[in-house]
Amino acid sequence: ITSDTQLVNLLSEEVSADSGLGQDVFQGLGKTPKKLSSRFFYDAKGSQLFQQIMKLPEYYLTKLEFSILKEQRKEILYAFGTQEPFQLVDLGAGDAYKTKLLLQELVAQKTDFTFVPVDISPEQLKELLEDLSLRFPSLPVTALAAEYFTGLQWLQKHSARKLILFLGSNLGNFNPDDAQEFLCQLRKLLQPQDRFLLGIDLRKDPEKIRQAYDDAAGVTAAFNLNLLHRINKELQANFEVDQFQHFAEYDPVGGTMRSYLVSKQAQEVYVGALDQTFSFEPWETIHTENSYKYSLRQIKEMALTCGLAIDDIFTDHSHCFANVLLRP
Ligand code: AVI
């Protein structure tokens, strides 16, 4: 690891000690209908399952975004303009699988830039730093273990221009009001020369969408059910995980892909850390995730609402996925 590489941990100690899972379980399973937040999918096992999802034949999102970035990276970087030094900020970087396409191109062009992956998992960032030090030994990297906005605020002290990436249709996991709010908050942190590249899953054949969240190999089911394993482990609960099943339905009116865990029988679950018992009726549901799909018109409207303009739209041949370049 070179001297130009650093890992900055901006996660406050309370936040890293308490993920908020207990509170989410207490509130979410106490409600009718029951729900849990998809934020908690990503423990070590969940992150590993998500890496597997991204390789599934049905999960077209990753493949399409990868192909857009691969085939159009020169145009994307040209539209941003890479002559002046800048920071390439990757919100929710993970293993930066797709971002490496841009890094490769920028390094090949001998561009003067710093890579700034932002992620809430310091372990994930450490792995990424090692990987990058092998692939791109002279690339300066400042890795930020932080929530998105804490990371962005911390970066405000650097005057460098920024290209901020928010890939993978991560915006789709926010409900539409929160997605709008997110864009507006982000807009406030942008300087006139900064740009924002948003990866978004578009509306399409409803059946294709549904299958992406209900794959034949059952990896998405395992990913969803892992939430119960996590609660068992971290909150000393006694979910009988095989007494629940994964169910995914797509609502083409609202563009909402919804995932549930369904109780196959009447059962009671005790959560030790909360000293609480939760009862399930036969076939009662726990709503665990929304993945919203947008049309380009909706994206334009959301952008416009908070003073962002569309510079360019990069899509795949089938117009199933888009990477939208936005400017303040
Ligand atoms: C991370 N996020 C964009 C994924 C999605 O498509 O909503 C998470 C996921 N859930 C099931 N499969 C993938």
Side-chain angles (χ1 to χ4, degrees):
I1 294 184
T2 68
S3 57
D4 271 349
T5 294
Q6 53 170 336
L7 173 62
V8 181
N9 195 332
L10 302 175
L11 298 166
S12 70
E13 269 173 36
E14 311 126 70
V15 174
S16 28
D18 176 16
S19 63
L21 178 64
Q23 199 182 350
D24 192 66
V25 169
F26 182 75
Q27 288 179 348
L29 296 189
K31 274 199 179 97
T32 324
K34 292 179 168 55
K35 62 174 195 165
L36 291 169
S37 165
S38 60
R39 267 191 324 124
F40 299 106
F41 281 153
Y42 304 93
D43 64 352
K45 178 75 188 163
S47 304
Q48 194 194 327
L49 285 164
F50 183 57
Q51 309 281 345
Q52 260 175 269
I53 287 176
M54 291 193 285
K55 296 189 187 119
L56 291 169
E58 293 95 335
Y59 197 74
Y60 59 83
L61 291 81
T62 310
K63 280 170 268 297
L64 294 182
E65 190 171 43
F66 189 89
S67 75
I68 294 170
L69 295 177
K70 185 162 188 206
E71 286 158 30
Q72 302 179 67
R73 55 190 158 177
K74 285 200 171 69
E75 289 79 1
I76 294 170
L77 294 170
Y78 182 77
F80 169 65
T82 57
Q83 299 80 3
E84 304 284 311
F86 67 94
Q87 291 177 325
L88 180 68
V89 183
D90 191 356
L91 297 180
D95 65 354
Y97 171 61
K98 288 159 291 184
T99 309
K100 281 173 204 154
L101 292 166
L102 299 180
L103 296 177
Q104 211 176 40
E105 180 63 26
L106 288 165
V107 168
Q109 291 180 4
K110 301 201 169 24
T111 310
D112 184 358
F113 77 109
T114 301
F115 180 46
V116 186
V118 181
D119 204 284
I120 49 164
S121 163
E123 291 76 33
Q124 176 78 258
L125 287 171
K126 275 181 210 144
E127 272 178 42
L128 178 60
L129 283 175
E130 293 203 352
D131 176 34
L132 293 174
S133 71
L134 296 174
R135 283 174 200 260
F136 311 109
S138 57
L139 173 66
V141 184
T142 302
L144 297 181
E147 304 273 346
Y148 299 140
F149 283 104
T150 321
L152 285 173
Q153 260 145 12
W154 187 85
L155 286 170
Q156 296 300 305
K157 63 181 185 200
H158 297 268
S159 55
R161 266 186 92 199
K162 290 172 190 60
L163 173 57
I164 299 169
L165 309 175
F166 195 43
L167 304 179
S169 201
N170 280 327
L171 191 72
N173 294 128
F174 296 14
N175 74 44
D177 288 347
D178 292 345
Q180 180 73 70
E181 178 60 24
F182 178 89
L183 291 180
C184 293
Q185 290 297 329
L186 187 99
R187 162 69 185 87
K188 288 189 199 143
L189 293 174
L190 295 180
Q191 301 297 319
Q193 300 306 312
D194 296 341
R195 296 291 179 269
F196 177 52
L197 187 70
L198 177 65
I200 202 86
D201 193 20
L202 299 177
R203 296 207 178 189
K204 64 183 67 61
D205 179 347
E207 193 44 37
K208 180 175 166 112
I209 295 177
R210 209 195 59 75
Q211 282 174 12
Y213 293 82
D214 198 8
D215 63 281
V219 183
T220 309
F223 174 69
N224 197 3
L225 288 160
N226 178 58
L227 196 48
L228 303 183
H229 285 299
R230 178 171 183 184
I231 296 168
N232 280 350
K233 249 183 286 164
E234 292 184 25
L235 301 176
Q236 298 83 49
N238 63 356
F239 275 102
E240 282 190 44
V241 178
D242 49 5
Q243 290 311 315
F244 286 83
Q245 70 186 36
H246 168 70
F247 179 74
E249 74 171 2
Y250 179 64
D251 159 25
V253 181
T256 320
M257 182 64 227
R258 294 193 185 86
S259 299
Y260 301 89
L261 291 166
V262 186
S263 172
K264 295 199 245 176
Q265 58 175 21
Q267 48 187 324
E268 298 212 320
V269 175
Y270 177 69
V271 182
L274 303 172
D275 193 20
Q276 284 277 329
T277 300
F278 300 96
S279 307
F280 290 83
E281 309 250 307
W283 307 111
E284 188 173 346
T285 54
I286 311 173
H287 175 219
T288 53
E289 186 179 46
N290 285 330
S291 301
Y292 286 92
K293 311 303 170 186
Y294 292 101
S295 66
L296 280 175
R297 189 175 50 75
Q298 288 176 307
I299 296 292
K300 278 181 200 159
E301 275 171 16
M302 285 207 285
L304 211 66
T305 302
C306 49
L308 284 164
I310 295 191
D311 239 5
D312 244 310
I313 298 172
F314 303 91
T315 66
D316 63 294
H317 305 295
S318 54
H319 296 275
C320 282
F321 198 95
N323 286 96
V324 183
L325 188 64
L326 297 153
R327 65 152 76 204

